[in-house]
PDB file of all heavy atoms in Angstrom:
ATOM      1  N   PRO A1284      76.751 -88.799 -70.961  1.00  0.00           N
ATOM      2  CA  PRO A1284      75.582 -88.369 -71.741  1.00  0.00           C
ATOM      3  C   PRO A1284      74.339 -88.398 -70.840  1.00  0.00           C
ATOM      4  O   PRO A1284      74.141 -89.420 -70.175  1.00  0.00           O
ATOM      5  CB  PRO A1284      75.473 -89.420 -72.841  1.00  0.00           C
ATOM      6  CG  PRO A1284      76.101 -90.677 -72.246  1.00  0.00           C
ATOM      7  CD  PRO A1284      77.116 -90.188 -71.178  1.00  0.00           C
ATOM      8  N   ARG A1285      73.554 -87.362 -70.927  1.00  0.00           N
ATOM      9  CA  ARG A1285      72.348 -87.347 -70.038  1.00  0.00           C
ATOM     10  C   ARG A1285      71.077 -87.238 -70.885  1.00  0.00           C
ATOM     11  O   ARG A1285      71.173 -86.792 -72.047  1.00  0.00           O
ATOM     12  CB  ARG A1285      72.464 -86.138 -69.069  1.00  0.00           C
ATOM     13  CG  ARG A1285      72.518 -84.775 -69.767  1.00  0.00           C
ATOM     14  CD  ARG A1285      72.542 -83.651 -68.802  1.00  0.00           C
ATOM     15  NE  ARG A1285      72.609 -82.364 -69.488  1.00  0.00           N
ATOM     16  CZ  ARG A1285      73.710 -81.758 -69.863  1.00  0.00           C
ATOM     17  NH1 ARG A1285      74.892 -82.269 -69.589  1.00  0.00           N
ATOM     18  NH2 ARG A1285      73.644 -80.617 -70.453  1.00  0.00           N
ATOM     19  N   PRO A1286      69.956 -87.608 -70.334  1.00  0.00           N
ATOM     20  CA  PRO A1286      68.756 -87.580 -71.113  1.00  0.00           C
ATOM     21  C   PRO A1286      68.193 -86.164 -71.163  1.00  0.00           C
ATOM     22  O   PRO A1286      68.510 -85.334 -70.340  1.00  0.00           O
ATOM     23  CB  PRO A1286      67.782 -88.496 -70.345  1.00  0.00           C
ATOM     24  CG  PRO A1286      68.284 -88.432 -68.909  1.00  0.00           C
ATOM     25  CD  PRO A1286      69.774 -88.244 -69.013  1.00  0.00           C
ATOM     26  N   THR A1287      67.350 -85.903 -72.152  1.00  0.00           N
ATOM     27  CA  THR A1287      66.657 -84.658 -72.227  1.00  0.00           C
ATOM     28  C   THR A1287      65.379 -84.733 -71.434  1.00  0.00           C
ATOM     29  O   THR A1287      64.931 -85.866 -71.107  1.00  0.00           O
ATOM     30  CB  THR A1287      66.268 -84.312 -73.696  1.00  0.00           C
ATOM     31  OG1 THR A1287      65.385 -85.365 -74.108  1.00  0.00           O
ATOM     32  CG2 THR A1287      67.459 -84.282 -74.588  1.00  0.00           C
ATOM     33  N   ALA A1288      64.820 -83.566 -71.107  1.00  0.00           N
ATOM     34  CA  ALA A1288      63.579 -83.540 -70.327  1.00  0.00           C
ATOM     35  C   ALA A1288      62.477 -84.314 -71.055  1.00  0.00           C
ATOM     36  O   ALA A1288      61.666 -85.028 -70.465  1.00  0.00           O
ATOM     37  CB  ALA A1288      63.172 -82.146 -70.017  1.00  0.00           C
ATOM     38  N   ALA A1289      62.465 -84.214 -72.379  1.00  0.00           N
ATOM     39  CA  ALA A1289      61.449 -84.856 -73.160  1.00  0.00           C
ATOM     40  C   ALA A1289      61.568 -86.383 -73.080  1.00  0.00           C
ATOM     41  O   ALA A1289      60.625 -87.104 -72.963  1.00  0.00           O
ATOM     42  CB  ALA A1289      61.554 -84.419 -74.619  1.00  0.00           C
ATOM     43  N   GLU A1290      62.847 -86.842 -73.099  1.00  0.00           N
ATOM     44  CA  GLU A1290      63.025 -88.303 -72.993  1.00  0.00           C
ATOM     45  C   GLU A1290      62.561 -88.791 -71.629  1.00  0.00           C
ATOM     46  O   GLU A1290      61.984 -89.884 -71.524  1.00  0.00           O
ATOM     47  CB  GLU A1290      64.531 -88.611 -73.116  1.00  0.00           C
ATOM     48  CG  GLU A1290      65.040 -88.532 -74.561  1.00  0.00           C
ATOM     49  CD  GLU A1290      66.574 -88.731 -74.664  1.00  0.00           C
ATOM     50  OE1 GLU A1290      67.326 -87.987 -73.975  1.00  0.00           O
ATOM     51  OE2 GLU A1290      66.999 -89.611 -75.404  1.00  0.00           O
ATOM     52  N   ALA A1291      62.848 -88.020 -70.558  1.00  0.00           N
ATOM     53  CA  ALA A1291      62.403 -88.411 -69.275  1.00  0.00           C
ATOM     54  C   ALA A1291      60.886 -88.411 -69.130  1.00  0.00           C
ATOM     55  O   ALA A1291      60.259 -89.275 -68.563  1.00  0.00           O
ATOM     56  CB  ALA A1291      63.009 -87.512 -68.177  1.00  0.00           C
ATOM     57  N   ALA A1292      60.251 -87.350 -69.723  1.00  0.00           N
ATOM     58  CA  ALA A1292      58.812 -87.217 -69.653  1.00  0.00           C
ATOM     59  C   ALA A1292      58.131 -88.401 -70.327  1.00  0.00           C
ATOM     60  O   ALA A1292      57.069 -88.893 -69.907  1.00  0.00           O
ATOM     61  CB  ALA A1292      58.379 -85.899 -70.268  1.00  0.00           C
ATOM     62  N   ALA A1293      58.762 -88.911 -71.390  1.00  0.00           N
ATOM     63  CA  ALA A1293      58.169 -90.000 -72.141  1.00  0.00           C
ATOM     64  C   ALA A1293      58.022 -91.271 -71.349  1.00  0.00           C
ATOM     65  O   ALA A1293      57.221 -92.150 -71.689  1.00  0.00           O
ATOM     66  CB  ALA A1293      58.997 -90.245 -73.393  1.00  0.00           C
ATOM     67  N   VAL A1294      58.826 -91.453 -70.282  1.00  0.00           N
ATOM     68  CA  VAL A1294      58.762 -92.710 -69.550  1.00  0.00           C
ATOM     69  C   VAL A1294      58.058 -92.541 -68.184  1.00  0.00           C
ATOM     70  O   VAL A1294      58.010 -93.519 -67.400  1.00  0.00           O
ATOM     71  CB  VAL A1294      60.142 -93.342 -69.304  1.00  0.00           C
ATOM     72  CG1 VAL A1294      60.818 -93.651 -70.673  1.00  0.00           C
ATOM     73  CG2 VAL A1294      61.012 -92.422 -68.456  1.00  0.00           C
ATOM     74  N   GLY A1295      57.504 -91.358 -67.909  1.00  0.00           N
ATOM     75  CA  GLY A1295      56.847 -91.192 -66.637  1.00  0.00           C
ATOM     76  C   GLY A1295      57.873 -91.323 -65.510  1.00  0.00           C
ATOM     77  O   GLY A1295      58.940 -90.721 -65.567  1.00  0.00           O
ATOM     78  N   LYS A1296      57.511 -92.097 -64.442  1.00  0.00           N
ATOM     79  CA  LYS A1296      58.484 -92.208 -63.365  1.00  0.00           C
ATOM     80  C   LYS A1296      59.656 -93.137 -63.783  1.00  0.00           C
ATOM     81  O   LYS A1296      60.706 -93.114 -63.163  1.00  0.00           O
ATOM     82  CB  LYS A1296      57.813 -92.883 -62.163  1.00  0.00           C
ATOM     83  CG  LYS A1296      56.937 -91.900 -61.368  1.00  0.00           C
ATOM     84  CD  LYS A1296      56.584 -92.523 -60.030  1.00  0.00           C
ATOM     85  CE  LYS A1296      55.747 -91.557 -59.151  1.00  0.00           C
ATOM     86  NZ  LYS A1296      56.279 -90.209 -59.108  1.00  0.00           N
ATOM     87  N   GLY A1297      59.399 -93.911 -64.825  1.00  0.00           N
ATOM     88  CA  GLY A1297      60.499 -94.772 -65.317  1.00  0.00           C
ATOM     89  C   GLY A1297      60.624 -96.061 -64.530  1.00  0.00           C
ATOM     90  O   GLY A1297      59.717 -96.388 -63.722  1.00  0.00           O
ATOM     91  N   THR A1298      61.624 -96.788 -64.781  1.00  0.00           N
ATOM     92  CA  THR A1298      61.826 -98.122 -64.181  1.00  0.00           C
ATOM     93  C   THR A1298      62.284 -97.963 -62.721  1.00  0.00           C
ATOM     94  O   THR A1298      63.244 -97.240 -62.490  1.00  0.00           O
ATOM     95  CB  THR A1298      62.863 -98.900 -64.966  1.00  0.00           C
ATOM     96  OG1 THR A1298      62.506 -98.910 -66.341  1.00  0.00           O
ATOM     97  CG2 THR A1298      62.920-100.378 -64.485  1.00  0.00           C
ATOM     98  N   ASP A1299      61.616 -98.656 -61.801  1.00  0.00           N
ATOM     99  CA  ASP A1299      62.123 -98.775 -60.421  1.00  0.00           C
ATOM    100  C   ASP A1299      62.834-100.050 -60.332  1.00  0.00           C
ATOM    101  O   ASP A1299      62.259-101.146 -60.252  1.00  0.00           O
ATOM    102  CB  ASP A1299      60.951 -98.641 -59.436  1.00  0.00           C
ATOM    103  CG  ASP A1299      61.450 -98.758 -57.986  1.00  0.00           C
ATOM    104  OD1 ASP A1299      62.539 -99.342 -57.765  1.00  0.00           O
ATOM    105  OD2 ASP A1299      60.784 -98.240 -57.133  1.00  0.00           O
ATOM    106  N   TRP A1300      64.143-100.022 -60.425  1.00  0.00           N
ATOM    107  CA  TRP A1300      64.929-101.243 -60.568  1.00  0.00           C
ATOM    108  C   TRP A1300      64.820-102.129 -59.313  1.00  0.00           C
ATOM    109  O   TRP A1300      64.924-103.329 -59.393  1.00  0.00           O
ATOM    110  CB  TRP A1300      66.377-100.957 -60.870  1.00  0.00           C
ATOM    111  CG  TRP A1300      66.530-100.434 -62.290  1.00  0.00           C
ATOM    112  CD1 TRP A1300      66.738 -99.167 -62.714  1.00  0.00           C
ATOM    113  CD2 TRP A1300      66.411-101.194 -63.445  1.00  0.00           C
ATOM    114  NE1 TRP A1300      66.735 -99.087 -64.078  1.00  0.00           N
ATOM    115  CE2 TRP A1300      66.581-100.328 -64.542  1.00  0.00           C
ATOM    116  CE3 TRP A1300      66.175-102.594 -63.754  1.00  0.00           C
ATOM    117  CZ2 TRP A1300      66.527-100.767 -65.897  1.00  0.00           C
ATOM    118  CZ3 TRP A1300      66.133-102.990 -65.080  1.00  0.00           C
ATOM    119  CH2 TRP A1300      66.258-102.104 -66.118  1.00  0.00           C
ATOM    120  N   PHE A1301      64.626-101.486 -58.139  1.00  0.00           N
ATOM    121  CA  PHE A1301      64.475-102.327 -56.952  1.00  0.00           C
ATOM    122  C   PHE A1301      63.163-103.110 -57.062  1.00  0.00           C
ATOM    123  O   PHE A1301      63.159-104.315 -56.712  1.00  0.00           O
ATOM    124  CB  PHE A1301      64.373-101.452 -55.685  1.00  0.00           C
ATOM    125  CG  PHE A1301      65.698-100.907 -55.231  1.00  0.00           C
ATOM    126  CD1 PHE A1301      65.786 -99.778 -54.416  1.00  0.00           C
ATOM    127  CD2 PHE A1301      66.869-101.585 -55.628  1.00  0.00           C
ATOM    128  CE1 PHE A1301      67.046 -99.346 -54.011  1.00  0.00           C
ATOM    129  CE2 PHE A1301      68.119-101.072 -55.189  1.00  0.00           C
ATOM    130  CZ  PHE A1301      68.183 -99.935 -54.343  1.00  0.00           C
ATOM    131  N   ASP A1302      62.087-102.507 -57.546  1.00  0.00           N
ATOM    132  CA  ASP A1302      60.821-103.290 -57.756  1.00  0.00           C
ATOM    133  C   ASP A1302      61.121-104.447 -58.663  1.00  0.00           C
ATOM    134  O   ASP A1302      60.512-105.514 -58.533  1.00  0.00           O
ATOM    135  CB  ASP A1302      59.773-102.409 -58.399  1.00  0.00           C
ATOM    136  CG  ASP A1302      59.043-101.597 -57.345  1.00  0.00           C
ATOM    137  OD1 ASP A1302      59.354-101.786 -56.137  1.00  0.00           O
ATOM    138  OD2 ASP A1302      58.192-100.760 -57.736  1.00  0.00           O
ATOM    139  N   GLU A1303      61.980-104.203 -59.646  1.00  0.00           N
ATOM    140  CA  GLU A1303      62.184-105.274 -60.601  1.00  0.00           C
ATOM    141  C   GLU A1303      63.049-106.464 -60.108  1.00  0.00           C
ATOM    142  O   GLU A1303      62.887-107.560 -60.472  1.00  0.00           O
ATOM    143  CB  GLU A1303      62.873-104.742 -61.856  1.00  0.00           C
ATOM    144  CG  GLU A1303      62.101-103.622 -62.536  1.00  0.00           C
ATOM    145  CD  GLU A1303      60.733-104.064 -63.065  1.00  0.00           C
ATOM    146  OE1 GLU A1303      60.568-105.276 -63.347  1.00  0.00           O
ATOM    147  OE2 GLU A1303      59.829-103.181 -63.173  1.00  0.00           O
ATOM    148  N   VAL A1304      63.974-106.170 -59.174  1.00  0.00           N
ATOM    149  CA  VAL A1304      64.887-107.245 -58.762  1.00  0.00           C
ATOM    150  C   VAL A1304      64.497-107.855 -57.444  1.00  0.00           C
ATOM    151  O   VAL A1304      64.761-109.049 -57.201  1.00  0.00           O
ATOM    152  CB  VAL A1304      66.350-106.766 -58.659  1.00  0.00           C
ATOM    153  CG1 VAL A1304      66.830-106.319 -60.016  1.00  0.00           C
ATOM    154  CG2 VAL A1304      66.586-105.723 -57.606  1.00  0.00           C
ATOM    155  N   PHE A1305      63.750-107.154 -56.580  1.00  0.00           N
ATOM    156  CA  PHE A1305      63.386-107.748 -55.285  1.00  0.00           C
ATOM    157  C   PHE A1305      62.055-108.473 -55.404  1.00  0.00           C
ATOM    158  O   PHE A1305      61.133-108.010 -56.061  1.00  0.00           O
ATOM    159  CB  PHE A1305      63.285-106.690 -54.160  1.00  0.00           C
ATOM    160  CG  PHE A1305      64.672-106.244 -53.693  1.00  0.00           C
ATOM    161  CD1 PHE A1305      65.144-104.935 -53.999  1.00  0.00           C
ATOM    162  CD2 PHE A1305      65.495-107.132 -52.976  1.00  0.00           C
ATOM    163  CE1 PHE A1305      66.405-104.572 -53.580  1.00  0.00           C
ATOM    164  CE2 PHE A1305      66.740-106.682 -52.563  1.00  0.00           C
ATOM    165  CZ  PHE A1305      67.200-105.408 -52.849  1.00  0.00           C
ATOM    166  N   GLN A1306      61.933-109.561 -54.730  1.00  0.00           N
ATOM    167  CA  GLN A1306      60.714-110.358 -54.686  1.00  0.00           C
ATOM    168  C   GLN A1306      60.655-111.124 -53.406  1.00  0.00           C
ATOM    169  O   GLN A1306      61.655-111.166 -52.641  1.00  0.00           O
ATOM    170  CB  GLN A1306      60.762-111.363 -55.868  1.00  0.00           C
ATOM    171  CG  GLN A1306      61.919-112.318 -55.731  1.00  0.00           C
ATOM    172  CD  GLN A1306      62.149-113.094 -57.010  1.00  0.00           C
ATOM    173  OE1 GLN A1306      62.542-112.524 -58.036  1.00  0.00           O
ATOM    174  NE2 GLN A1306      61.937-114.370 -56.899  1.00  0.00           N
ATOM    175  N   SER A1307      59.543-111.719 -53.183  1.00  0.00           N
ATOM    176  CA  SER A1307      59.502-112.601 -51.956  1.00  0.00           C
ATOM    177  C   SER A1307      60.032-113.975 -52.333  1.00  0.00           C
ATOM    178  O   SER A1307      59.973-114.382 -53.491  1.00  0.00           O
ATOM    179  CB  SER A1307      58.108-112.670 -51.372  1.00  0.00           C
ATOM    180  OG  SER A1307      57.262-113.311 -52.317  1.00  0.00           O
ATOM    181  N   ALA A1308      60.589-114.680 -51.387  1.00  0.00           N
ATOM    182  CA  ALA A1308      61.245-115.955 -51.685  1.00  0.00           C
ATOM    183  C   ALA A1308      61.041-116.885 -50.474  1.00  0.00           C
ATOM    184  O   ALA A1308      61.145-116.450 -49.315  1.00  0.00           O
ATOM    185  CB  ALA A1308      62.719-115.744 -51.966  1.00  0.00           C
ATOM    186  N   PRO A1309      60.858-118.165 -50.790  1.00  0.00           N
ATOM    187  CA  PRO A1309      60.555-119.124 -49.688  1.00  0.00           C
ATOM    188  C   PRO A1309      61.843-119.726 -49.073  1.00  0.00           C
ATOM    189  O   PRO A1309      62.898-119.783 -49.729  1.00  0.00           O
ATOM    190  CB  PRO A1309      59.743-120.205 -50.379  1.00  0.00           C
ATOM    191  CG  PRO A1309      60.304-120.227 -51.777  1.00  0.00           C
ATOM    192  CD  PRO A1309      60.715-118.784 -52.114  1.00  0.00           C
ATOM    193  N   GLN A1310      61.700-120.222 -47.877  1.00  0.00           N
ATOM    194  CA  GLN A1310      62.721-121.059 -47.317  1.00  0.00           C
ATOM    195  C   GLN A1310      62.070-122.153 -46.524  1.00  0.00           C
ATOM    196  O   GLN A1310      60.910-121.974 -46.007  1.00  0.00           O
ATOM    197  CB  GLN A1310      63.752-120.234 -46.484  1.00  0.00           C
ATOM    198  CG  GLN A1310      63.198-119.815 -45.116  1.00  0.00           C
ATOM    199  CD  GLN A1310      64.325-119.154 -44.290  1.00  0.00           C
ATOM    200  OE1 GLN A1310      65.081-118.347 -44.769  1.00  0.00           O
ATOM    201  NE2 GLN A1310      64.415-119.605 -43.040  1.00  0.00           N
ATOM    202  N   GLN A1311      62.696-123.241 -46.321  1.00  0.00           N
ATOM    203  CA  GLN A1311      62.109-124.371 -45.698  1.00  0.00           C
ATOM    204  C   GLN A1311      63.164-125.231 -45.034  1.00  0.00           C
ATOM    205  O   GLN A1311      64.310-125.348 -45.504  1.00  0.00           O
ATOM    206  CB  GLN A1311      61.469-125.253 -46.842  1.00  0.00           C
ATOM    207  CG  GLN A1311      60.347-126.088 -46.387  1.00  0.00           C
ATOM    208  CD  GLN A1311      59.806-126.938 -47.556  1.00  0.00           C
ATOM    209  OE1 GLN A1311      59.784-128.129 -47.453  1.00  0.00           O
ATOM    210  NE2 GLN A1311      59.414-126.299 -48.668  1.00  0.00           N
ATOM    211  N   ARG A1312      62.787-125.826 -43.873  1.00  0.00           N
ATOM    212  CA  ARG A1312      63.786-126.638 -43.160  1.00  0.00           C
ATOM    213  C   ARG A1312      63.087-127.860 -42.526  1.00  0.00           C
ATOM    214  O   ARG A1312      61.992-127.727 -41.979  1.00  0.00           O
ATOM    215  CB  ARG A1312      64.428-125.804 -42.062  1.00  0.00           C
ATOM    216  CG  ARG A1312      65.524-126.528 -41.340  1.00  0.00           C
ATOM    217  CD  ARG A1312      66.506-125.589 -40.772  1.00  0.00           C
ATOM    218  NE  ARG A1312      66.022-124.881 -39.585  1.00  0.00           N
ATOM    219  CZ  ARG A1312      66.506-125.014 -38.379  1.00  0.00           C
ATOM    220  NH1 ARG A1312      67.552-125.795 -38.134  1.00  0.00           N
ATOM    221  NH2 ARG A1312      66.020-124.334 -37.353  1.00  0.00           N
ATOM    222  N   HIS A1313      63.696-129.020 -42.632  1.00  0.00           N
ATOM    223  CA  HIS A1313      63.223-130.201 -42.003  1.00  0.00           C
ATOM    224  C   HIS A1313      64.392-130.755 -41.202  1.00  0.00           C
ATOM    225  O   HIS A1313      65.498-130.847 -41.722  1.00  0.00           O
ATOM    226  CB  HIS A1313      62.811-131.302 -42.984  1.00  0.00           C
ATOM    227  CG  HIS A1313      61.722-130.881 -43.887  1.00  0.00           C
ATOM    228  ND1 HIS A1313      60.419-131.176 -43.622  1.00  0.00           N
ATOM    229  CD2 HIS A1313      61.744-130.259 -45.092  1.00  0.00           C
ATOM    230  CE1 HIS A1313      59.636-130.714 -44.628  1.00  0.00           C
ATOM    231  NE2 HIS A1313      60.440-130.117 -45.492  1.00  0.00           N
ATOM    232  N   THR A1314      64.112-131.150 -39.969  1.00  0.00           N
ATOM    233  CA  THR A1314      65.163-131.780 -39.157  1.00  0.00           C
ATOM    234  C   THR A1314      64.593-133.016 -38.448  1.00  0.00           C
ATOM    235  O   THR A1314      63.393-133.006 -38.049  1.00  0.00           O
ATOM    236  CB  THR A1314      65.694-130.834 -38.090  1.00  0.00           C
ATOM    237  OG1 THR A1314      64.644-130.511 -37.163  1.00  0.00           O
ATOM    238  CG2 THR A1314      66.249-129.553 -38.708  1.00  0.00           C
ATOM    239  N   ILE A1315      65.354-134.029 -38.368  1.00  0.00           N
ATOM    240  CA  ILE A1315      64.931-135.187 -37.624  1.00  0.00           C
ATOM    241  C   ILE A1315      66.053-135.801 -36.883  1.00  0.00           C
ATOM    242  O   ILE A1315      67.204-135.881 -37.406  1.00  0.00           O
ATOM    243  CB  ILE A1315      64.170-136.220 -38.558  1.00  0.00           C
ATOM    244  CG1 ILE A1315      63.537-137.311 -37.803  1.00  0.00           C
ATOM    245  CG2 ILE A1315      65.195-136.774 -39.593  1.00  0.00           C
ATOM    246  CD1 ILE A1315      62.381-137.969 -38.499  1.00  0.00           C
TER     247      ILE A1315
END
Side-chain angles (χ1 to χ4, degrees):
Chain A
R1285 61 178 181 269
T1287 62
E1290 283 174 307
V1294 298
K1296 282 193 178 314
T1298 308
D1299 181 333
W1300 288 105
F1301 283 159
D1302 276 357
E1303 302 298 335
V1304 300
F1305 284 110
Q1306 62 193 64
S1307 64
Q1310 74 172 50
Q1311 205 181 124
R1312 183 154 75 115
H1313 299 267
T1314 62
I1315 189 155

